[in-house]
């Protein structure tokens, strides 16, 4: 009897013990740094500040200056545009290619394996490839340039709007094949008898897609759109190492703004305030993700 | 009859169109990788010709030689491997424990724990890398590969937990009851039943953790300042910014560093998908 009760006791404690290492790690490397960022954003700290220099509490002054800063507002717009275009092009291309390879054909396995390659390829290696392809003097993109109806002589990574187009194309190359694989998995879950029944009823391919396929892959579609948005929002190294946020600050997304404001403009406090705005964004996205997920689970059961 | 022939013909047209599009898409996906391979084995004189030559002429391996012996690629790869192995060990161990708590126990705070993982997973590292650097400076933990792996682990553990949770839940409850009757403790059930049964998913977590760390750049470049301690991502990025590096050398480095994850991911893509989509998509 005594034995039993002690085992039940440890049973109650056990989940907390199991998760304790993760909680400690996240507390040290996520929660505490966040509290530091929030605190710094309420001060006038600069990056070069000496250890003994007095740091003043300035309340919400940094947030107020963000509201009136054209570069910050531009950065919000750039982030949103970049993320939404990623959703449209990458998820769109992913769905289209998944539909294409959904039927059995020779070499399908090979194509599917191929599709994982850009996703698994590390960011820095991808950056090296694209900097070389888009090089304004010797890049292979030069072959394309002479056939384009617009002037790209300012360089694909160094003039607007081509720098922005370039980072979109790079992100698309890297992500759409992965979305395609996820869509393919979802498409294979579409009940075949439904498709057959629709065919017997005389539905054409577009009608079949609209009435049978689309409803059953909708949860996947919505989740992937959100994931694409998150990946774009998080993307740092691919943009930083190709355009650095430039020309001017035309490709400076929010995460780059945090970094550049601290290390290029030495304003640590303002950088932290931008970071806190980003954290609020992240939180909202996580809540949206949860809401969608629970809705998807409900519709599954 | 005519109608049947008509559909056959349009089917054929459709098939041709489909194959053509598949061919075109594959070409777009593969071209940057192909171009990397071509440039890496090409002599610089050929590479700088205009218009560019689209196939390798007189291929050689001088780029590979240079990245290892004129740069420190060998050392960088070992450093990356070291950080990645530590990250893998920490991530795998902690994800197993976390996923076990989430899948087999009812407890207060379970929701909050899940939310915390989700938030961490979605958090852009760039937003908090500066405060993390300050904390590490205070501890004198900067410029160390071992402590770098802790940060990598913190950001990849959520993915690990989401990969393992559905796998752990897939084990029938009867197995659990039978084991309890046999006198197995909860940790015994984890060790003797769950871990062996879920070893493919655990292996997938290991691979994901290894290459998340292998590919990471921002945290590594912020924490590591000694050139001899650079992981490959930082070493290659610094080589890239030295404008006198021959392009052949740089692209050879990209191949050596970039191809191993590609090859391994092809084997585990199924698990990766379910983990990154937080287990919501049954694939």
């Amino acid at each position: 009897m005594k034995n039993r009760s002690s085992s039940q006791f440890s049973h109650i404690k056990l989940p907390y013990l199991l998760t304790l290492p993760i909680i400690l790690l996240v507390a040290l490397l996520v929660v505490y740094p966040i509290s530091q960022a929030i605190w710094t954003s309420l001060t006038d700290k600069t990056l070069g500040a000496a250890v003994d220099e007095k740091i003043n509490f300035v309340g919400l002054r940094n947030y107020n200056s963000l509201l009136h800063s054209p570069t910050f507002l531009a950065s919000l717009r750039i982030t949103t545009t970049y993320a939404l275009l990623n959703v449209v092009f990458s998820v769109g291309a992913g769905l289209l290619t998944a539909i294409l390879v959904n039927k059995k054909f020779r070499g399908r396995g090979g194509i599917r394996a191929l599709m994982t390659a850009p996703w698994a390829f590390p960011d820095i290696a991808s950056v090296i490839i694209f900097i070389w392809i888009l090089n304004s003097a010797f890049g292979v993109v030069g072959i394309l340039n002479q056939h384009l109806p617009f002037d790209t002589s300012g360089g694909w990574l160094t003039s607007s709007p081509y720098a922005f187009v370039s980072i979109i194309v790079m992100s698309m190359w890297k992500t759409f094949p992965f979305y395609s694989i996820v869509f393919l998995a979802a498409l294979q879950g579409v009940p075949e008898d439904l498709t057959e029944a629709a065919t017997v009823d005389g539905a054409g391919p577009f009608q079949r897609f609209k009435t049978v396929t689309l409803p059953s892959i909708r949860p996947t579609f919505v989740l992937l759109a959100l994931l694409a948005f998150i990946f774009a929002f998080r993307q740092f190294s691919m943009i930083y190492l190709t355009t650095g946020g430039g020309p001017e600050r035309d490709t400076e997304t929010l995460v780059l703004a945090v970094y550049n404001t601290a290390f290029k403009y030495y304003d640590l406090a303002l950088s932290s305030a931008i970071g806190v705005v980003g954290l609020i964004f992240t939180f909202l996205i996580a809540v949206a993700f949860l809401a969608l997920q629970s809705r998807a689970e409900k519709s599954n059961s | 009859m005519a109608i049947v022939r008509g559909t056959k013909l349009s089917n054929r047209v459709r098939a041709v169109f489909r194959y053509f599009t598949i061919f075109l898409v594959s070409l777009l996906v593969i071209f940057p990788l192909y171009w990397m391979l071509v440039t890496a084995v090409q002599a610089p004189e050929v590479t700088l010709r205009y218009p560019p030559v689209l196939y390798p002429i007189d291929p050689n391996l001088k780029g590979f030689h240079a990245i290892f012996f004129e740069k420190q690629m060998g050392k960088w790869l070992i450093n990356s491997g070291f950080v990645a192995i530590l990250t893998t060990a920490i991530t795998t161990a902690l994800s197993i424990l976390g996923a076990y708590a989430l899948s087999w126990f009812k407890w207060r705070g379970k929701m909050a724990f899940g939310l915390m993982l989700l938030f961490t997973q979605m958090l852009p590292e760039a937003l908090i890398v500066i405060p993390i650097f300050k904390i590490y400076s205070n501890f004198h933990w900067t410029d160390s590969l071992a402590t770098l792996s802790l940060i990598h682990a913190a950001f990849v553990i959520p993915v690990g937990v989401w990969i393992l949770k559905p796998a752990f839940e897939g084990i029938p409850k009867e197995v659990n009851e039978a084991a309890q009757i046999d006198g197995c403790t909860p940790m015994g059930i984890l060790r003797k039943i769950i871990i062996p049964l879920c070893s493919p998913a655990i292996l997938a977590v290991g691979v994901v953790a290894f290459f998340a760390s292998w590919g990471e750049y921002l945290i590594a470049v912020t924490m590591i300042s000694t050139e001899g301690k650079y992981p490959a991502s930082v070493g290659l990025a610094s080589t890239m910014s030295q404008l006198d590096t021959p392009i052949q050398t740089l692209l050879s480095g990209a191949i050596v560093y970039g191809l191993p994850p590609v090859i391994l991911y092809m084997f585990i893509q199924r698990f990766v998908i379910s983990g990154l989509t937080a287990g919501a998509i049954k694939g």
Side-chain angles (χ1 to χ4, degrees), chain A residues 66 69-79 160 163-164 239 243-254 256-262 264-267 270-271 274:
Chain A
L66 279 187
S69 150
T71 52
F72 173 71
L73 297 176
S75 169
L76 282 184
R77 202 194 59 230
I78 292 164
T79 312
S160 275
F164 191 76
I239 305 177
T243 70
E248 301 293 319
R249 298 173 85 164
D250 286 352
T251 56
E252 195 181 74
T253 58
L254 201 77
L256 266 87
V258 172
Y259 205 76
N260 284 342
T261 306
K264 222 163 135 187
Y265 304 102
Y266 305 114
D267 196 336
L270 197 67
S271 157
I274 302 171

Side-chain angles (χ1 to χ4, degrees), chain B:
Chain B
M1 194 61 198
I3 295 167
V4 173
R5 280 193 58 173
T7 35
K8 263 192 185 159
L9 191 66
S10 83
N11 271 348
R12 198 169 298 166
V13 170
R14 214 177 280 155
V16 169
F17 173 75
R18 228 162 51 87
Y19 276 110
F20 181 70
T21 320
I22 291 170
F23 172 73
L24 211 64
V25 171
S26 314
L27 203 65
L28 284 176
V29 169
I30 207 143
F31 182 76
L33 297 170
Y34 169 76
W35 197 236
M36 166 180 74
L37 293 170
V38 170
T39 312
V41 298
Q42 194 96 288
E45 312 85 78
V46 185
T47 300
L48 300 185
R49 246 184 238 170
Y50 192 88
V53 189
L54 291 175
Y55 45 87
I57 297 174
D58 195 14
N60 65 74
L61 299 176
K62 283 178 189 155
F64 294 97
H65 187 272
I67 195 72
F68 278 102
F69 296 104
E70 285 164 33
K71 305 285 165 191
Q72 305 184 41
M73 193 64 185
K75 196 171 210 178
W76 297 338
L77 288 174
I78 291 171
N79 292 342
S80 279
F82 176 73
V83 180
I85 285 172
L86 272 181
T87 304
T88 305
I90 301 167
T91 304
T92 312
L94 299 197
S95 301
I96 288 174
L97 299 180
Y100 188 40
L102 273 185
S103 56
W104 282 56
F105 295 90
K106 276 200 172 115
W107 46 291
R108 281 186 55 151
K110 192 170 160 176
M111 273 279 285
F113 181 72
L115 196 66
M116 181 190 87
L117 288 182
L118 193 67
F119 182 77
T120 306
Q121 182 183 7
M122 293 181 175
L123 181 69
E125 302 91 324
L127 296 184
I128 57 167
V129 71
I130 300 168
I132 294 179
F133 177 77
K134 281 204 57 193
I135 294 165
Y136 264 44
S137 299
N138 291 339
F139 288 169
H140 303 289
W141 277 7
T142 53
D143 212 18
S144 145
L145 294 170
T147 50
L148 173 64
S149 70
L150 268 184
I151 313 176
H152 284 171
F155 281 100
V156 75
I157 281 172
V159 182
V161 173
W162 301 136
I163 291 176
L164 293 181
K165 190 178 161 251
F168 286 7
E169 279 167 350
I171 293 170
K173 296 286 170 215
E174 294 79 24
V175 175
N176 180 29
E177 280 155 22
Q180 272 188 332
I181 291 165
D182 288 348
C184 245
T185 62
M187 288 316 277
I189 292 173
L190 177 65
R191 216 182 38 184
K192 288 186 201 138
I193 297 169
I194 299 178
I195 291 179
L197 281 176
C198 297
S199 50
I202 293 171
L203 186 72
V205 172
V207 178
V208 169
F210 190 92
F211 288 115
S213 166
W214 183 267
E216 202 281 329
Y217 167 74
L218 172 64
I219 300 169
V221 76
T222 310
M223 300 299 157
I224 307 295
S225 48
T226 311
E227 200 183 335
K229 289 183 188 169
Y230 281 172
S233 60
V234 180
L236 278 177
S238 82
T239 307
M240 188 171 74
S241 61
Q242 293 155 7
L243 297 172
D244 59 335
T245 312
I247 195 74
Q248 187 185 8
T249 309
L250 197 56
L251 274 285
S252 302
I255 291 178
V256 176
Y257 167 63
L259 281 191
V262 170
I263 293 162
L264 259 164
Y265 261 105
M266 285 177 182
F267 293 106
I268 58 148
Q269 45 159 298
R270 204 159 54 85
F271 296 102
V272 181
I273 291 168
S274 69
L276 285 167
T277 51
I281 300 160
K282 306 279 180 277

Side-chain angles (χ1 to χ4, degrees), chain A residues 4 7 14 22 41 55 93 98 105 116 123 125 133 149 157 165 193 216 225 231 235 247 261 286 293 301:
Chain A
R4 191 194 155 93
S7 96
L14 193 61
I22 298 181
S41 76
I55 291 153
F105 62 87
T116 42
D123 284 357
I133 287 179
L157 292 170
V165 173
D193 46 337
S216 50
F231 286 142
Q235 182 53 257
T261 306
Q293 202 189 22
S301 60

